[in-house]
Amino acid sequence: MILSSALIGCAIITLDRAYMFTDGRYFLQAAEQMDSNWTLMKQGLPDVPTWQDFLHKELPPNSRIGIDPTLIAASDAQSISSSLAANSSSTLVPIADNLVDQVWADRPTRPKTKVRALAVEFAGQSSQEKVEAVRAELKKEKADAIVVTMLDEVAWLFNLRGSDINFNPVFFAYAVITTTTSTLYIDPVQLSVVSSQPNSSASSASGKSSSFTTVISSDHLPLDLKIKPYTDIWTDLSTLGSNSTKVLVGSKASMKVLESINGDSAAGDSTASSSAAHIVSMISPTPASSTQGKSGDAAKAVGILVRSPIADLKTIKNETEIYGFRACHVRDGVALARYFAWLEEVLEKGEEVSEWNAAEVLEKYRSENELFRGLSFDTISSTGPNAAIIHYSPDPKDCAIIKQDQMYLCDSGGQYLDGTTDVTRTWHFGKPSEEERRAFTRVLQGHIAIDTAVFPQGTTGYQIDTWARRPLWQDGLDYRHGTGHGVGHFLNVHEGPQGIGMRITYNDTALKKGMTVSNEPGYYADGRFGIRIESIVIVREVSTPYNFGDKGSYLGFEHVTVSPIHTKLVNVSLMSPAEVEWLNEYHKEVWEKVSPGLKAVGDERAERWLERECKPIGLDAAR
């Protein structure tokens, strides 16, 4: 059988069956899109094993399980191999030529788009300063080097951006930072470096991206940077392993990366039998005290899996990045107000608008914003039952018409030179049912609970996740996704390791000042409607009257998303006075920040709409 994994799921194919494992975000979508050849495994439900457990619980003993070592994380390979050895005597077998690739006849070629320089005026820190910060981490760990495999970490480290992956301003590359050198591995056609700053004529004529050019000055990059072909990484990793005593490798790196450093002669050999002990030895470090020198006979694993220090550095936004987050969300709020005002008007006129066409209009409004570089993900424009599909994406050739008498959920975002946005608002352009209003209010109460949270330093997103679910639990409701994910700065809209959710991995990362996360509780009535309210928040210090234990300043959140929350859907009788006050103060802030932008573009319709949607409500309001 063969194992193939991706962000949204994992496929296990045996000689006679095919299984696809995914979590609650994709249950409905997977059921609709997969044919009868597949068995959907709904991870998280009772009696449904994880794909990792499935390998030793359901497959026959002594199975040989084929894997592509470039696609499976080394940490996963280690834990799976140990589990297989203990429970079924099965083994993982690295395969050089991916079996899926062999039957994927029309697979697109890997993109090779031009890489652009992100100026320090947006990044807030030079690439040289970032490399020096990484070297400080190497010194702490007494390591010779670090291998950087995550694309967003490479882009952040060198203040470069690309477009090799839709919606994510990253490019295919690796990097190696040692105590004295830095090397970027990239296809040469993607990078144009000149010895001096380009003049103004090299900038975009639009004036929107004058600091975002494909002609990259050498002084934009670290002084000791070497640029080498993308494919040179594998031989260089082998050399690095031979000449080093300790090399840090991010915990998400592939099995092949670690094996290349640690000298696995069988890596990539499609005929080699890979025993569990062999795999574990290749990806588990041998303590320094138990190893001999380079000329000794004892095996020595110098590549060591660690939590990436670059990920931790990247997740703490500097003041320039924070300023950019605030600014781009205001511009984004202008586009959203224009869009929702337009959508309401055309629906009231009885015009037909499909989910896809509506999303196109929203993108048009966003594209008119200063510093806009594209969407941060496919817009989730969903009406009625489609809104219950958590990661729904409308098909341009076959999608629903937005209806006035149904809930409408819009989850969208933009990429700007000064930040990344991700916002969800739920609307009803007719008369909502009491069930819909009650569920919406419970979601709103969970959203407010996170927004107003105050917590001591060291608190994790795992610890506060239930604060968002408590109002829903009061009504016997819940949602099958996390409450919040990290957000990159003009990078991936989903950024780790920080987040708010019930996955135990979120307990590994404390929320720290400068982190950006989403706040997005929801509720989904399968086949009928869906609700989500999402804003981006920044972790900031807050003032408290006391400081128990002198543990440092307490923390809270600053929201930067400015888009109205639909008060027609609020059942005020369920809310406390403090919650009503929060909603009114939020709408006052939205009006003050967004209305000047609407005036500037002369959109009177959107201005009238925003003023109405931001009107305060009272506890005795008759809805």
Side-chain angles (χ1 to χ4, degrees), residues 84-354:
L84 291 173
N87 294 286
S88 68
S89 300
S90 295
T91 57
L92 295 182
V93 181
I95 299 176
D97 297 319
N98 188 301
L99 300 186
V100 176
D101 292 347
Q102 293 181 37
V103 298
W104 191 354
D106 58 348
R107 180 179 180 179
T109 58
R110 173 172 286 175
K112 298 178 182 180
T113 59
K114 281 289 187 181
V115 172
R116 295 174 179 266
L118 182 67
V120 175
E121 66 180 286
F122 298 118
Q125 191 179 19
S126 72
S127 60
Q128 183 67 45
E129 291 171 319
K130 292 179 178 180
V131 167
E132 292 304 326
V134 173
R135 287 183 175 140
E137 296 297 321
L138 291 179
K139 186 176 181 179
K140 289 180 188 176
E141 297 295 328
K142 299 180 180 180
D144 302 308
I146 181 170
V147 180
V148 189
T149 63
M150 300 301 291
L151 302 189
D152 60 333
E153 293 181 18
V154 175
W156 175 87
L157 182 60
F158 297 114
N159 286 343
L160 299 173
R161 299 294 188 269
S163 54
D164 284 354
I165 298 177
N166 289 341
F167 311 115
N168 300 289
V170 297
F171 49 94
F172 289 107
Y174 292 96
V176 174
I177 308 298
T178 73
T179 55
T180 57
T181 65
S182 53
T183 307
L184 174 63
Y185 297 86
I186 184 173
D187 193 299
V189 303
Q190 295 186 258
L191 197 61
S192 299
V193 180
V194 296
S195 58
S196 61
Q197 288 281 7
N199 58 34
S200 59
S201 64
S203 302
S204 170
S206 69
K208 291 186 177 181
S209 55
S210 60
S211 299
F212 194 57
T213 175
T214 58
V215 182
I216 301 168
S217 170
S218 57
D219 60 12
H220 179 82
L221 301 169
L223 297 174
D224 55 25
L225 180 66
K226 298 177 183 177
I227 299 172
K228 302 188 70 173
Y230 181 75
T231 54
D232 281 8
I233 183 67
W234 304 115
T235 54
D236 283 7
L237 288 181
S238 178
T239 302
L240 181 67
S242 299
N243 297 332
S244 305
T245 58
K246 183 177 181 180
V247 176
L248 304 183
V249 181
S251 57
K252 293 184 179 180
S254 72
M255 176 182 173
K256 183 173 180 179
V257 167
L258 204 58
E259 290 185 335
S260 296
I261 297 170
N262 289 336
D264 177 18
S265 60
D269 182 355
S270 60
T271 63
S273 175
S274 180
S275 70
H278 174 67
I279 289 178
V280 171
S281 70
M282 285 298 102
I283 60 182
S284 299
T286 303
S289 59
S290 66
T291 62
Q292 298 180 17
K294 291 183 175 63
S295 60
D297 296 329
K300 181 184 180 186
V302 299
I304 299 175
L305 285 179
V306 298
R307 174 181 166 132
S308 171
I310 298 175
D312 288 332
L313 291 169
K314 175 171 59 68
T315 195
I316 306 295
K317 308 305 184 290
N318 59 51
E319 287 304 315
T320 298
E321 292 173 316
I322 289 172
Y323 176 86
F325 263 104
R326 295 185 184 122
C328 73
H329 277 85
V330 171
R331 296 194 301 275
D332 211 57
V334 171
L336 289 164
R338 299 181 71 189
Y339 168 65
F340 289 129
W342 165 83
L343 181 58
E344 180 183 79
E345 182 176 277
V346 296
L347 292 178
E348 287 179 350
K349 290 179 179 178
E351 299 178 20
E352 285 196 351
V353 182
S354 73

Side-chain angles (χ1 to χ4, degrees), residues 298-615:
K300 181 184 180 186
V302 299
I304 299 175
L305 285 179
V306 298
R307 174 181 166 132
S308 171
I310 298 175
D312 288 332
L313 291 169
K314 175 171 59 68
T315 195
I316 306 295
K317 308 305 184 290
N318 59 51
E319 287 304 315
T320 298
E321 292 173 316
I322 289 172
Y323 176 86
F325 263 104
R326 295 185 184 122
C328 73
H329 277 85
V330 171
R331 296 194 301 275
D332 211 57
V334 171
L336 289 164
R338 299 181 71 189
Y339 168 65
F340 289 129
W342 165 83
L343 181 58
E344 180 183 79
E345 182 176 277
V346 296
L347 292 178
E348 287 179 350
K349 290 179 179 178
E351 299 178 20
E352 285 196 351
V353 182
S354 73
E355 296 165 324
W356 171 265
N357 290 334
E360 291 284 284
V361 173
L362 175 54
E363 183 174 1
K364 172 184 174 294
Y365 284 132
R366 273 201 172 99
S367 69
E368 296 173 9
N369 283 341
E370 185 181 9
L371 306 181
F372 178 76
R373 296 302 307 179
L375 300 182
S376 55
F377 56 95
D378 258 329
T379 297
I380 300 174
S381 173
S382 53
T383 186
N386 290 339
I389 303 173
I390 296 170
H391 280 187
Y392 173 79
S393 181
D395 184 336
K397 298 179 181 178
D398 182 22
C399 63
I401 300 298
I402 299 174
K403 295 181 175 61
Q404 247 188 321
D405 61 351
Q406 291 183 333
M407 298 281 271
Y408 174 70
L409 185 154
C410 183
D411 186 348
S412 66
Q415 293 285 9
Y416 299 87
L417 293 183
D418 54 350
T420 300
T421 69
D422 182 2
V423 52
T424 308
R425 292 294 183 263
T426 305
W427 300 89
H428 199 298
F429 300 106
K431 185 176 181 180
S433 69
E434 286 306 308
E435 178 191 7
E436 291 167 336
R437 293 179 67 227
R438 186 180 185 96
F440 182 92
T441 305
R442 292 308 193 193
V443 172
L444 173 59
Q445 289 174 304
H447 182 89
I448 294 172
I450 295 298
D451 189 274
T452 58
V454 176
F455 46 90
Q457 295 193 35
T459 301
T460 68
Y462 177 83
Q463 291 172 304
I464 68 172
D465 176 80
T466 56
W467 300 0
R469 298 178 192 269
R470 182 177 179 273
L472 286 153
W473 288 351
Q474 286 181 285
D475 282 6
L477 306 178
D478 205 346
Y479 49 96
R480 294 190 185 104
H481 58 73
T483 299
H485 56 81
V487 182
H489 178 267
F490 186 30
L491 272 174
N492 297 355
V493 73
H494 281 211
E495 174 184 78
Q498 78 278 20
I500 304 172
M502 299 181 77
R503 287 190 295 167
I504 192 62
T505 53
Y506 284 135
N507 207 33
D508 295 337
T509 304
L511 296 170
K512 297 178 181 178
K513 176 184 175 182
M515 286 183 172
T516 47
V517 293
S518 65
N519 171 14
E520 52 179 308
Y523 171 68
Y524 310 90
D526 290 354
R528 296 191 294 134
F529 64 86
I531 298 164
R532 186 159 63 252
I533 303 172
E534 176 186 19
S535 295
I536 302 305
V537 296
I538 302 171
V539 182
R540 306 298 275 170
E541 292 181 350
V542 299
S543 177
T544 55
Y546 306 101
N547 187 354
F548 179 79
D550 294 323
K551 295 180 179 179
S553 299
Y554 275 61
L555 302 173
F557 296 116
E558 170 197 345
H559 54 249
V560 290
T561 303
V562 279
S563 183
I565 294 169
H566 200 21
T567 54
K568 181 197 286 188
L569 283 164
V570 176
N571 183 338
V572 183
S573 67
L574 297 174
M575 298 179 71
S576 70
E579 290 168 335
V580 173
E581 181 182 6
W582 179 94
L583 185 59
N584 289 336
E585 285 298 314
Y586 177 72
H587 281 149
K588 179 182 177 182
E589 177 187 353
V590 170
W591 170 255
E592 291 173 348
K593 291 183 175 179
V594 175
S595 60
L598 296 175
K599 286 183 182 294
V601 297
D603 194 332
E604 295 181 357
R605 173 182 58 196
E607 200 175 345
R608 291 192 300 271
W609 175 89
L610 184 69
E611 183 177 19
R612 187 193 73 218
E613 291 297 328
C614 289
K615 283 184 177 178

